[in-house]
Amino acid sequence: MTVPAAPLPAIAGLIRALPAVKSSEGEPWLRGDRGRRAAFYGRGSAALAVAASVLRENAAGGWKLWVPEYFCGDALAPARRLGIPLSFYPVKEDLSPDFPEDLAGPGALLLVHYFGFPNAAAAAGAACRRAGLTLIEDAAHVLIPCDGIGSSDWAIYSPRKLLALPSGGLLILPEKAVSQLPAAEPPEAGESARWALRRLTQSALRVARIPWHGGRSVPAAADGSDPAVRACSVYALSLLKQAEIGFGEVARRRRENFYRVASWIGHVRDARPLHHDLPDAVCPYAYPLRVPDAERFVGALRASGVPAYRWPDLPPEAGGPVARRLAAEMVLLPVHQSLLPRELERMRVALLEAGRA
Ligand SMILES: Cc1ncc(COP(=O)(O)O)c(C=O)c1O
C-alpha cells in the first residue's frame, strides 16, 4: 500500500472548476480587512520573493531579509533569483526565534509558523520594532489566519501545500503597496494538466490497491532560467475558490488525524513530539516529531509506503547547531484530509516498526 503524500482531488471537483469563477480576492485570508490586499502567485516562495523585492525597493541601501536558520533551502530560490540579500537568525529547540544581538534594519524579518502552529508573533513584532525591521509572517503551512497568525501587514500563504491544487501561493500586503507589485510570468504551460493526471493516476492506483512508492520520484528540474515569480493559473484559482467552502472540514479532518498520530507516538521508541497540544483554531500541516536519526527513520517509513519527510536541505549559510540538530532529528508525518482509515493504520504499524528497527 502507498499512503498518498498530498490530498487527492475528486474528479467531480476537477470538472466543476473548469469554467473559471471569480476569485474571492483572498477574503478568507483578509477577513474583511480593507487596509490589506491579497495577491496570488504560483507558489508561496514566489510570494515571499515579491514581498522582499517590494520592501527593498522602498528602503535605503543595505536592506536584507532575515530568515530563520531552520528553513527549507528550496523555498529561498525565487528570492535568491531576484538578488534579495539574506541573513540568517538562529532558532530555539521549540522553533521560536533566538534573536541575535546584531539584529538590525533596514530589512524585514521572516517569522515561520512551522507546520501550522502559531510562533511567537508578539515577541517577533516587538523585536522588529526595536530593530527597525518589517515583520513578514510565513504562513506557508497555515490554511487560514487564526489566533497568533496572520495579523501583520505582510504575510505569505501556500494553499497548494494543504489543498488539492496544482499551484497557489498568496501574498498579503498593505493596500498602499499594491501598485508596486511586479508583473509575474505566466504559469508553466501544462502544469495543471500534468498535476491532474498525476493525482488521478494515484487515485486510480489507490482504488485498485496497487502501490506506487517503489519507483524513483523525479526531482523538479532546477532550471536556472526558470522565472522567479510565476502567476497562479486560472484553473488553480477556480479550484481554490471551490475549496473555500470546505475549509472547516479540511481543518476538522487534519486535527482528527493529528490526534490519532499523537496517540501512537508514546509507543514509538525514542520519538518525541514537537507539540503536546493542538491549540483550538490550528489546522495542522503535518505531525512533527523528533527521533535520534531522522534519515534512517524516514527511509524505513518510506520503504513501507508512508510518505514521511524531513528538511535535509537547509540553506548553505545556515550553520547554527540547533538548526542542524533539528534538520537531523525532525520527521514530518502526513495528517492530510484525504487519508483513509486503512492508510492511517498502515502508518501506525510502520511507525512502531521504524521505532523498533
Ligand atoms: C516554511 C516555508 N515557507 C515557504 C515555503 C514556500 O512555499 P511553496 O512551496 O509554495 O513555494 C515553504 C515550502 O517548502 C516552506 O516550508
Side-chain angles (χ1 to χ4, degrees), residues 4 6-16 18 164-166 191-210 212 235 239 338:
L8 296 175
I11 294 185
L14 292 179
I15 295 170
R16 249 197 331 271
L18 281 171
L165 298 175
E191 172 192 74
S192 295
R194 279 196 303 278
W195 167 84
L197 188 64
R198 195 165 58 244
R199 292 285 183 261
L200 289 176
T201 307
Q202 290 173 351
S203 299
L205 292 172
R206 174 152 86 154
V207 170
R209 304 210 176 196
I210 299 172
W212 66 85
Y235 184 58
L239 281 169
S338 300

Side-chain angles (χ1 to χ4, degrees), residues 43-46 71-72 75 112 138 140-141 156 158 160-161 311:
R43 298 187 52 164
S45 48
F71 198 77
C72 185
V112 179
D138 181 334
H141 301 166
I156 64 154
S158 179
R160 74 183 198 95
K161 285 185 161 329
W311 283 352

Side-chain angles (χ1 to χ4, degrees), residues 14-34:
L14 292 179
I15 295 170
R16 249 197 331 271
L18 281 171
V21 294
K22 191 173 163 345
S23 117
S24 59
E25 294 177 356
E27 193 46 47
W29 294 270
L30 291 166
R31 302 207 157 152
D33 178 350
R34 291 286 135 237

